Amino acid sequence: MTSSSVNHIYPVIWQNDKVFLIDQTRLPGEYSVVEISLCEDMAQAIRTMIVRGAPAIGVAAAYGMYLGAKEIQTTNREVFLKKLEKIAQLLRETRPTAVNLFWAISRMLKIAYESVGNVEQIKAILLETAQAIQLEDLKTCQAIGDNGLIVLPSEPTKLTILTHCNTGSLATAGYGTALGVIRSAWRENRLARVYADETRPRLQGAKLTAWECVQEGIPVTVITDSMAAHCMQQGMIDAVIVGADRIAANGDTANKIGTYSLAIVAQAHNIPFFVAAPFSTVDFSISDGSQIPIEERHPSEIYQIGNTEICASGVEFYNPAFDVTPASLIKAIITEKGAISPQEIINYRRELAI
Ligand SMILES: CSC[C@H]1O[C@H](OP(=O)(O)O)[C@H](O)[C@@H]1O
């Protein structure tokens, strides 16, 4: 895997016939790597967010498909493909919202069905395809980062950009989407500071985005999610850039919970609100955001911080991990093909051909 010219954080690494994942549940306090050689272990790593972030779980699922294929002991093509379908279903059921997961699985299955070789040759092609998906996403993120420079406000010359959750190298094959735009702005001396929402309840902003920024000396201020509106009202923020987990054909965008309220407040203060995402995050099969499945996660993510319980017993919880921002609140979707008006996304249907 070629290294990026800018940073060297890769959440998923293929080496010695195994996958190594940065354990994102232990950052920033501990940098540890988990070794994955079985499909079920990859599925569990996605479920428990050892690896997370829409493009990163697509890459992880692609390797999970290969690891599962490796475990299939048969030379019969039909038997192999039937078992591969079961592996695909296991991985599909890990998390419901990020469409990159399903896009990667579909691409791996398609290549298997289209391959004319024997089972061992199909396995080899599956590995090549997983590696291609990973390298493509790295290059895509670098393109997204640079394309973002075209649409960022020209004034002030050094911008203060607010972002939500983690959309950096840790959430992708490397470089990042929204944080990729921020990296490119930093490289081009167009960034004053990043304001990172801590992003309750999993705190990806405080734990992961801040960590990535510190690794590269990018000035970062962590705020609680409830402070974002105040910062915008005080004129402290020049632009808001977030990632995406699934974009509907009309440009409605699902992203980490709290994104929708950011978009409303940004509009109220006439601050440009951008989404940065690869085309592998667009789901052309759904017409609008109301059809995007929203993952609900375990309530312990709300009532526990570390080992401390912060709620009385007997309380009910609701823990949606994502919300949907209507296209009308999004100034542009920054993709590897350029910055696109959300309403124009539908015209790019062919970009996603797998
Ligand atoms: C590069 S976009 C990553 C996207 O995924 C995150 O969700 P999670 O941490 O639950 O996987 C968040 O929505 C980010 O915007």
Side-chain angles (χ1 to χ4, degrees), residues 271-345:
I271 294 170
F273 180 91
F274 298 103
V275 168
F279 271 99
S280 53
T281 307
V282 182
D283 182 355
F284 287 106
S285 74
I286 56 171
S287 56
D288 63 65
S290 67
Q291 300 164 57
I292 299 176
I294 300 297
E295 178 183 18
E296 286 189 41
R297 293 189 64 89
H298 194 279
S300 62
E301 295 184 347
I302 297 175
Y303 66 70
Q304 260 178 331
I305 296 183
N307 296 320
T308 305
E309 298 209 353
I310 59 170
C311 291
S313 58
V315 171
E316 297 293 322
F317 296 93
Y318 174 49
N319 184 18
F322 301 96
D323 57 26
V324 176
T325 297
S328 59
L329 295 177
I330 301 168
K331 183 177 176 65
I333 298 177
I334 303 165
T335 75
E336 62 272 35
K337 296 292 180 187
I340 300 165
S341 154
Q343 293 75 15
E344 297 301 311
I345 277 285

Side-chain angles (χ1 to χ4, degrees), residues 11 53 92 104 129 136-137 141 150 154 187 198 225 239 252 343:
R92 287 192 193 101
T129 305
E136 285 166 20
D137 186 69
C141 285
I150 302 163
S154 52
R187 185 193 69 220
E198 65 172 356
D225 305 337
D252 290 349
Q343 293 75 15

